Structures are given as C-alpha cells and as structure tokens.
Amino acid sequence: MMPIEAAATAATAAADRPNFLLIMTDQQRADHLGAYGNALLRTPNIDALARDGVAFDRFYVSSPVCMPNRAALATGRMPSAAGVRMNGVPLPLSARTFADALGDAGYRTALIGKAHFQNMTDAAPTPAPGEPATPRGRQGDADLRDGPEYGCESPARWADPKFRVPVPYYGFGEVELCLEHGDAVGGDFARWLARSGSACKPGAEGALPPGAPILAPQAWRTALPESHYPTAFIAQRSIDWLRRHATQHPDRPFLMQCSFPDPHHPFTPPGRYWSMYAPHDVELPASFAAPIGLAPPHKRALHEELARGERRTGGSRVIAVTEDEARQAIALNYGAVAMIDDAVGRVIAALAELDLDRNTVVIFLSDHGDFMGDHGLLFKGPLHYRSVVRMPFIWRDTAAAARRGRRGNIASAIDLAPTILDRAGVAGFHGMQGRSLLPIMNGRDDAREGCALIEEEGHRPVPGLPVPARARSLVTDRFRLSIYPGVDWAELYDLAADPHEIHNRFADPDLASTRSELLWRLGTEMSRLATGLPLATRMA
C-alpha cells in the first residue's frame, strides 16, 4: 500500500495537472464563426474562447473526411499511417490515442456525443472496379476490421436494448454515443429520447410544416423541441458528467470530449433556430459564381451534372447547387451553429460554477469543413478548397495567460494529440507524426516555413475523377498543390494573389519552377509522413 505521505503527494500532483475539455463540431467550416470573421452569424460563447485564448487561422485537416481526420486527431498520425484511409474503414482497436495516454497517466476520460471511429451505417460500401463486393472478399490483409468488436457504432447493434459500448473505447473510460446527424440521431441519444416520453417523431417522416418552401437538399423542420434535440442532450450530459466529476473525483484530472453531430447535414435546427437566419441575408462565398471555364475538370463535371438534372442529393458526396439552395443551406447551417454556441455557453458556465475553469484547457475545433456554397458546391469531396480543408482551432488555457491572440502558423490535425500530451506533461508514443503547438502558442514561432499534407480517398464515384477518387494536397504559406492519379492535370493556386482559389496555374509557364519545387516538397512530405510502425523486432 502507498504510504500516506506519498498518496497525498500523488493526489496533489494529479490536482495540479490540467484538465481538458475538448469541444468538437461536425463538418463546420472555420468562417462559420464570428471569431473567424463571419459578420452575420452570432457565436458569442465560442468567440469568447478565442478572445481569451489562441485561435489558429491556418489549421488544416489531414483528410477532409470524418473518419480519417478523426483518426488523425486522436492518434497524431496521418490517416494512411493510422490505418483509416477513407470513411468506411474503422480505426484499429490496437491504435493508441491521446485518450489512451492520458488514461494511463491517471486521467479520467469520457466521450459524450459523436465518436465516428467506427462505421455508423450498416450499408454495404460501393466497390471500386476490381475490388471485391464485400470486405470478406480476397484481400492482402487478414485484418478485415469487420467483426462485432468493430460494430460499436452500428445501428444494428444498437437495436439490441442490452448493447453497451465496451470501455475503454479508444481510450475513453466513459462513453455516451450519438450516431449519425441532424435530428435522426441514434445510440444513447435515441434511448434517452425514448425514455423521455416525448411524442415527437424525429426524422423527415415526422417533420413539421416548414412554413416556407424548402430548397436546400436534405433539410426538414424537425418536430423535436430544442430541449429534446441532440445538441441539447450532449450539452446536458456533458454538464452532468462534469458535476459528477467535481463531486466524486475532485483530485483527479480529466479529459472530457463533448462532440456535437451538427452542423452536418441533414439541416434540421429545431425551434427558433430553424428560422433564426434568413436566406436573403446570407452572403454567398466570393467564389460561388467563379467562371466554370476556369474550373478544374472535377468541379466542372459537378456543375454539368447539375445542369443536366442528373444530380443525386441524398448522400454525402459533393454536389453543385443553385444560389437559392446555397443560401438556404447556409442559413439553416447558421441556425445549427447558433444552437451549438448556446450549448457551449452552458457547458462553459457549468465549468466555472464547479470551479473547474481555472485548471481546464478548453479546446474548440471541428473535424473538417463544408463547401457551403464555395465554388457553387455543397457538402464535401475531393476538391481541396479552403472551405473544406481548414478547421477552426481554438485553445483557451487560463493557467497560461501568455497564450492569447491569433496565430498564422500552418498547423495540422495531427498536431492536436502531441499538443494535448505536451500540456499534460505526458509522454507521447512512437509513431506520432504531429508536433506540439505549445511553442507557437507561447510566441516562439517556428522558424521553418510550415506546410500541411492532406490525404483523401473515397469509394463513392465523383464526376470528373477516376474511381476511386484519390487526392493528395500540399498547403504552404503561399500555395496549394493538389494531384490526382489517373488524370493528366493537377491544381496549383497562388493563395496570396488568388485567396479564393479560382485560377488554376498548374500549367502556367511563369510558375514552372514553383511547380517543380512544390511537387518535390509534396513527395518528400509524403515520404516523411509514411508510417514508422510497427518497429522492427529483430535485425532480421
């Protein structure tokens, strides 16, 4: 048994370690926040975090898709290194996350809301040409990640009322999961809603009359009241967890991830949030009406698909939209973000009420962006415009007053895990590829010219690209280069002269030397970020 003096010392050391409250949204572009320059959308609570902390203006995804980028955030490794090359490929249960490392160091860890480390649907994937129709076809790797242990976010598993997520779940010791998006959310939320006795039916089938024509794809006026919407549920359960922690475990540090499924489509903000913003007040992105003649082939193909009336609006694949559709989608998205901001305000108020705010680092980010009218597009896909690849990233640390203001340094999703562990004083693990951002936050700017590598692979056909769609991009201080296999073209944008990425200058002879330099740098960055695991067990 530990001596009394040693136990007291250990408790004091634990109490001195910072807590972490990680607030995550889903598919929210950075400029859909007041703190990132939005003049119409009101987000005072998130803006306050930015005002009192550090906001990164150039924080990029490692992949602009949910599962790969969430894997990168959790592990500090590129999606290809973490083993999550696309949506539909679960994060290996053997992967180590920052939650694992904090748990091993004595932290209490909890995740409330969306995880998306595993598949949230039971639909079979669309096989690419030459691929087997099911995961159990002949493959060069026996790790299919298709057994019951990889079905923890499956609607079919949750249909069993006795099912519970086995913990720890990717390092989180307590978990309340929300599956899917909008008001038709499953998992623990659906069970809570059933117990609440609410007679309101979520989903498009139970929707209320909208009051005005609905033009935005995948939108309906939910019958759920604000108090019974997933955003409110996640905020309240997060507050309840914080209260239990403060009462029952005051001497232990914690990591709590509060993870909202909104503002991802379908667009279903409840109650007053449905009509909080009028489409005619919305300002469209500057690139909305960019000349199609200047567009790369895959953007052009999407607009041609719309013109022919052959667009499919029911999935998550990028689509081209009309001006009216874009305005309404943005207005509804603003309503969803406004509700999240109000929920964040309640969680932060509870943190202060419980006297936890003085030693809690609050982090706000999303998993990736959404075109939201950028270049006349909606949702996400392998066109790496800033609206999709740039994330909001805010770090408020009241114990470090020097960490305030804006940072223009390029940072990446893989930097989150090492930054959290560095602040906690917990050693990282071999294979992490990101870097701690604490020196940059403390005003010691990285002397190197930063860059971000972005990977994307998919199994959905995308007009203008071979199947499966595949992309690799490099973002530097001034340029964005994107390449695609199987085509005879690429993209190169001068972000200083052309911030809206309208003029593709890959074939411009005036940028020939820049093109060569960026291609070389892309290759070396891909080589540098190739996986270093597993380690050799012998000298062979």
Side-chain angles (χ1 to χ4, degrees):
M1 182 178 295
M2 183 182 294
I4 293 176
E5 295 82 359
T9 301
T12 300
D16 288 342
R17 286 185 288 176
N19 306 309
F20 295 93
L21 171 59
L22 176 62
I23 303 171
M24 183 180 291
T25 57
D26 198 323
Q27 200 162 301
Q28 180 184 359
R29 51 186 285 169
D31 61 2
H32 279 200
L33 287 171
Y36 280 83
N38 196 300
L40 178 62
L41 176 56
R42 297 180 296 278
T43 51
N45 296 297
I46 299 170
D47 296 350
L49 295 176
R51 183 183 63 247
D52 297 336
V54 176
F56 276 73
D57 290 316
R58 302 195 69 186
F59 194 91
Y60 291 97
V61 301
S62 295
S63 176
V65 187
C66 294
M67 292 176 73
N69 206 52
R70 286 172 180 264
L73 290 164
T75 65
R77 304 169 67 197
M78 292 297 293
S80 56
V84 188
R85 64 188 184 89
M86 64 165 70
N87 268 359
V89 179
L91 180 63
L93 288 167
S94 58
R96 283 188 58 77
T97 67
F98 66 81
D100 280 312
L102 291 178
D104 290 345
Y107 275 72
R108 295 186 68 231
T109 58
L111 188 155
I112 298 173
K114 181 180 176 181
H116 212 181
F117 296 135
Q118 298 182 3
N119 293 319
M120 295 195 307
T121 79
D122 297 311
T126 303
E131 286 186 350
T134 70
R136 297 198 174 277
R138 296 176 63 188
Q139 296 189 52
D141 191 330
D143 182 14
L144 302 178
R145 296 182 225 163
D146 195 33
E149 69 275 21
Y150 284 105
C152 295
E153 301 184 42
S154 155
R157 292 290 298 282
W158 281 88
D160 177 359
K162 296 180 180 179
F163 174 72
R164 297 291 184 275
V165 176
V167 292
Y169 188 62
Y170 296 99
F172 291 99
E174 298 178 52
V175 175
E176 292 188 53
L177 282 188
C178 289
L179 314 178
E180 286 291 346
H181 311 97
D183 71 337
V185 165
D188 282 304
F189 167 76
R191 290 178 178 177
W192 170 83
L193 185 64
R195 293 194 304 269
S196 75
S198 172
C200 298
K201 183 178 180 181
E205 298 80 8
L208 299 173
I214 295 179
L215 304 174
Q218 299 185 46
W220 58 82
R221 189 168 190 175
T222 181
L224 294 181
E226 295 170 21
S227 60
H228 286 63
Y229 192 75
T231 297
F233 166 80
I234 292 166
Q236 188 57 54
R237 297 303 293 159
S238 297
I239 292 169
D240 293 345
W241 190 93
L242 291 170
R243 285 176 175 157
R244 288 196 305 275
H245 176 87
T247 302
Q248 300 171 12
H249 306 277
D251 294 327
R252 286 187 64 187
F254 69 81
L255 159 71
M256 205 269 281
Q257 181 168 330
C258 170
S259 188
F260 298 102
D262 268 4
H264 192 292
H265 59 280
F267 308 116
T268 63
R272 60 197 166 103
Y273 298 104
W274 172 263
S275 56
M276 182 171 282
Y277 292 92
H280 60 77
D281 290 333
V282 165
E283 183 176 346
L284 292 173
S287 63
F288 178 84
I292 298 300
L294 298 175
H298 52 344
K299 174 189 167 181
R300 195 161 57 243
L302 290 165
H303 282 275
E304 290 169 352
E305 180 185 60
L306 172 63
R308 293 193 304 268
E310 297 176 358
R311 182 187 61 168
R312 297 181 181 179
T313 62
S316 289
R317 191 261 276 173
V318 55
I319 58 173
V321 289
T322 67
E323 180 175 333
D324 288 341
E325 290 171 335
R327 287 186 185 279
Q328 191 174 76
I330 294 169
L332 293 174
N333 188 272
Y334 282 1
V337 173
M339 185 176 192
I340 290 170
D341 185 77
D342 288 341
V344 168
R346 292 194 296 275
V347 175
I348 298 300
L351 200 68
E353 174 193 329
L354 297 166
D355 201 27
L356 293 171
D357 58 329
R358 290 179 295 175
N359 196 35
T360 298
V361 177
V362 180
I363 306 163
F364 179 89
L365 75 167
S366 69
D367 59 351
H368 56 80
D370 188 304
F371 293 112
M372 278 289 137
D374 196 24
H375 288 265
L377 305 174
L378 193 64
F379 306 146
K380 56 182 178 283
L383 300 92
H384 291 172
Y385 295 118
R386 184 175 65 168
S387 50
V388 176
V389 302
R390 187 174 72 132
M391 305 158 55
F393 181 70
I394 298 169
W395 178 286
R396 191 196 74 173
D397 187 346
T398 55
R403 296 184 187 129
R404 290 185 179 178
R406 313 295 295 201
R407 299 294 185 273
N409 309 70
I410 290 180
S412 168
I414 58 174
D415 298 331
L416 175 69
T419 304
I420 288 175
L421 296 184
D422 187 14
R423 181 64 181 89
V426 173
F429 35 87
H430 183 78
M432 293 180 73
Q433 297 167 313
R435 57 175 176 161
S436 172
L437 299 176
L438 290 188
I440 293 174
M441 293 188 204
N442 290 333
R444 298 193 297 274
D445 285 357
D446 193 335
R448 300 170 300 166
E449 181 189 353
C451 67
L453 175 66
I454 299 168
E455 306 175 336
E456 182 171 3
E457 299 189 23
H459 47 71
R460 289 186 178 92
V462 174
L465 288 174
V467 178
R470 224 166 238 187
R472 296 292 185 272
S473 290
L474 182 78
V475 181
T476 70
D477 282 350
R478 180 165 176 175
F479 296 99
R480 193 257 289 180
L481 170 74
S482 297
I483 62 171
Y484 311 83
V487 299
D488 60 359
W489 52 271
E491 294 178 90
L492 174 58
Y493 299 97
D494 182 340
L495 302 177
D498 180 24
H500 303 298
E501 302 167 286
I502 293 172
H503 302 278
N504 180 10
R505 301 185 64 186
F506 186 80
D508 187 339
D510 291 341
L511 288 183
S513 61
T514 298
R515 179 176 64 240
S516 297
E517 178 186 342
L518 290 171
L519 286 168
W520 175 83
R521 192 169 179 185
L522 174 62
T524 58
E525 197 67 8
M526 291 173 65
S527 177
R528 183 180 75 84
L529 292 174
T531 184
L533 297 178
L535 292 171
T537 58
R538 300 291 186 276
M539 287 299 293

